[in-house]
Amino acid sequence: MNEADSERIAGLLTAEGLEAVDDPESADVVVLNTCCIRENADNKLYGHLGNLKTLKEERPGLQIAVAGCLAQKDREEIIERAGHVDVVFGTHNLHRAAELLHEATTADGPLVEIVDEHRPDAASMDARLPSERVSGHSAWITIQIGCDNSCTFCIVPIVRGPEVSRRMGDVVREAEELAAAGVSEVTLLGQNVNSYGRDLGAGQWSPRFADLLRAIDAVDGIRRIRYTSPHPKDLRDDTIAAMAECDAVCEQLHLPLQSGSDRTLTRMHRGYTAARYLRRLDAARAAIPDLAVTTDLIVGFPGETEADFARTLEIVDEAAFDAAYTFVFSPRPGTPAADMSADTVPAEVVAERMQRLTDLVARHALAHNETRVGRIEEVLVEGESKTNAARQSGRTRQGKLVHFDAAAADVPAGTFVDVRIVRAAPHWLAGELVATVDGSRHPRRRIPVTAA
Ligand code: SF4
């Protein structure tokens, strides 16, 4: 969500005549768009601001803005600790980025504009703001902001507010415009996409997320649809059916588990049991062949016992995820879990549990990836490999990272290619370029998981 917001801020500033540069040294304006989901974002922010202070002393005309949800949460502290900041603004008023920077040029001190309570209606959501997209072939589409859930570890409902869905027609129109501009892959963004539309229907919940998937699937030129994230308690059969039936919807599901212990899930206020989670996962895997499933897991939630953690290992083993984002619990101010400090799990215990968990996740990830060796995968090229300029990288429909040897001139970013997979590791696949895939849309190819 923050990456999508950053593209909007960049779009607004570009519309004012600014040009993007690669390094802060040559910039006239630096905007740090922050996120407060994790604790170490605070430390990173003040590290960056420290570096920028030297730059500002050399060039007093440099403007520095801090945006995003950390700015919203820590507005006074930012000004106190970094008096060289010119503008501070939050997630609800990013549309004012350019104006605020302009106003700051004549202001006496730092300009702070935060809107804490904001519930835009669907019609006035900031969807029509320009975006300076990082990729020409792949784009985020925000379909919903905020969250109506109350997970005890999560700061999102505090900083992003209640759920508001964009109107389906607006979302589809954005997808059509993106397709006309050459975008072939879209990722739909929301805090809980399964409840998309709940606030739009008059007395009846419509449209639902499944309707939106089907509508975007019908947009000519959009060949891949991804989304993040669904809440396990709300993963409905109609969403699974739409995923199975829409050619463009990728065989990829990110379904955050967080913990395998029912006791911990209750303390987290997640609204499902581990057994129910596994049932929804089974339903999705049964309906969607070759589905890759990833998850989020928190280690060391306050009061997590060895028995709770052992249950997490059992469920992770049973779920056999393709990958998992594993996080050490980090208390976020204002959340119920931040008041559970009496139950803090010692750091050395958390580190040891994390090691066991990541080892297990890596074993399953490698096993999944090894089944793909020998297969020909459709890869959407993202560009030069970050570690080897002679190689290109891209993603399969399942979201798996693939490296292959090819000159960038032969396969520019945004090209669909067929790659024969020859090697697998837990986090990537390596392969040989077979052919460039025809640019026209073609139906989803079903490849049995066990095929060699
Ligand atoms: Fe946070 Fe997600 Fe829970 Fe909403 S559903 S409160 S965004 S963790």
Side-chain angles (χ1 to χ4, degrees):
M1 193 65 86
N2 274 55
E3 285 182 33
D5 284 352
S6 294
E7 290 186 345
R8 291 200 185 284
I9 294 169
L12 286 161
L13 300 188
T14 305
E16 289 295 304
L18 276 78
E19 283 173 28
V21 290
D22 290 333
D23 60 292
E25 281 72 25
S26 50
D28 297 317
V29 173
V30 176
V31 182
L32 300 172
N33 189 29
T34 62
C35 172
C36 62
I37 287 272
R38 307 278 312 147
E39 196 174 13
N40 64 6
D42 304 32
N43 305 332
K44 273 195 194 166
L45 171 67
Y46 292 110
H48 286 306
L49 286 175
N51 296 337
L52 288 170
K53 188 172 183 200
T54 318
L55 213 55
K56 179 117 179 169
E57 282 162 1
E58 288 163 13
R59 284 196 291 125
L62 172 69
Q63 282 197 295
I64 301 169
V66 182
C69 52
L70 184 62
Q72 199 165 319
K73 181 174 83 65
D74 286 352
R75 62 202 83 168
E76 287 92 7
E77 191 183 342
I78 290 168
I79 297 303
E80 206 179 294
R81 289 179 63 178
H84 53 293
V85 167
D86 298 278
V87 177
V88 178
F89 60 97
T91 58
H92 296 307
N93 44 347
L94 68 82
H95 61 282
R96 292 252 300 138
E99 286 160 81
L100 289 170
L101 281 161
H102 185 67
E103 286 168 24
T105 55
T106 52
D108 281 342
L111 216 58
V112 179
E113 189 175 289
I114 305 286
V115 177
D116 282 314
E117 293 292 328
H118 183 53
R119 190 182 177 109
D121 59 28
S124 67
M125 274 178 68
D126 55 358
R128 307 318 293 171
L129 294 182
S131 267
E132 184 74 7
R133 308 220 183 233
V134 172
S135 160
H137 61 271
S138 184
W140 309 110
I141 300 183
T142 301
I143 64 165
Q144 171 199 58
I145 56 167
C147 182
D148 284 347
N149 291 312
S150 53
C151 304
T152 54
F153 54 81
C154 184
I155 199 168
V156 165
I158 299 171
V159 291
R160 292 270 181 185
E163 270 171 32
V164 181
S165 304
R166 277 178 71 194
R167 291 188 303 204
M168 191 163 95
D170 290 346
V171 177
V172 174
R173 200 168 312 118
E174 186 172 354
E176 287 167 348
E177 287 167 7
L178 288 167
V183 167
S184 55
E185 177 183 69
V186 293
T187 302
L188 310 181
L189 290 179
Q191 307 295 350
N192 178 12
V193 295
N194 298 131
S195 55
Y196 169 79
R198 193 157 51 188
D199 53 314
L200 292 178
Q204 184 190 358
W205 182 5
S206 172
R208 295 176 189 253
F209 183 58
D211 301 322
L212 183 62
L213 286 179
R214 290 180 191 281
I216 297 179
D217 182 61
V219 174
D220 230 13
I222 299 296
R223 291 174 56 172
R224 288 186 175 187
I225 301 169
R226 305 187 192 278
Y227 65 87
T228 191
S229 288
H231 194 301
K233 75 177 167 60
D234 300 323
L235 179 58
R236 296 162 48 92
D237 287 341
D238 59 350
T239 296
I240 293 173
M243 288 181 72
E245 291 161 21
C246 294
D247 284 343
V249 179
C250 290
E251 298 81 5
Q252 181 188 24
L253 177 64
H254 181 71
L255 197 61
L257 171 64
Q258 308 299 6
S259 171
S261 155
D262 289 346
R263 194 183 77 92
T264 305
L265 287 170
T266 302
R267 286 160 56 80
M268 288 177 166
H269 209 196
R270 289 289 288 172
Y272 54 86
T273 60
R276 175 148 183 246
Y277 178 96
L278 290 175
R279 282 199 298 276
R280 297 317 296 148
L281 193 53
D282 283 349
R285 280 182 166 147
I288 307 160
D290 205 9
L291 181 71
V293 182
T294 56
T295 197
D296 295 330
L297 295 159
I298 295 175
V299 177
F301 186 79
E304 181 190 72
T305 63
E306 181 54 31
D308 291 323
F309 180 67
R311 192 70 187 126
T312 295
L313 291 181
E314 279 173 31
I315 301 300
V316 167
D317 206 20
E318 197 170 338
F321 296 111
D322 287 76
Y325 300 92
T326 51
F327 302 95
V328 170
F329 169 75
S330 120
R332 304 285 60 220
T335 62
D339 294 331
M340 300 178 186
S341 55
D343 293 330
T344 299
V345 182
E348 62 279 12
V349 174
V350 174
E352 190 273 335
R353 286 180 188 167
M354 181 59 95
Q355 190 60 55
R356 279 190 279 161
L357 180 62
T358 50
D359 287 350
L360 176 61
V361 167
R363 271 208 306 281
H364 281 292
L366 180 59
H368 277 293
N369 284 353
E370 281 176 339
T371 66
R372 310 193 89 85
V373 172
R375 293 169 49 160
I376 293 177
E377 300 270 4
E378 183 198 78
V379 172
L380 176 55
V381 178
E382 290 179 351
E384 198 175 281
S385 155
K386 291 194 176 100
T387 51
N388 183 345
R391 301 180 108 192
Q392 295 286 293
S393 299
R395 301 235 169 223
T396 67
R397 288 178 60 94
Q398 288 73 18
K400 291 183 184 281
L401 180 63
V402 177
H403 304 295
F404 61 96
D405 290 339
D410 297 337
V411 279
T415 309
F416 285 89
V417 293
D418 277 341
V419 175
R420 178 179 294 106
I421 304 301
V422 296
R423 205 146 56 89
H427 303 298
W428 49 263
L429 300 165
E432 296 160 348
L433 180 63
V434 174
T436 299
V437 180
D438 180 74
S440 62
R441 185 169 170 181
H442 58 84
R444 178 198 315 228
R445 286 178 298 169
R446 301 274 189 194
I447 306 170
V449 180
T450 50

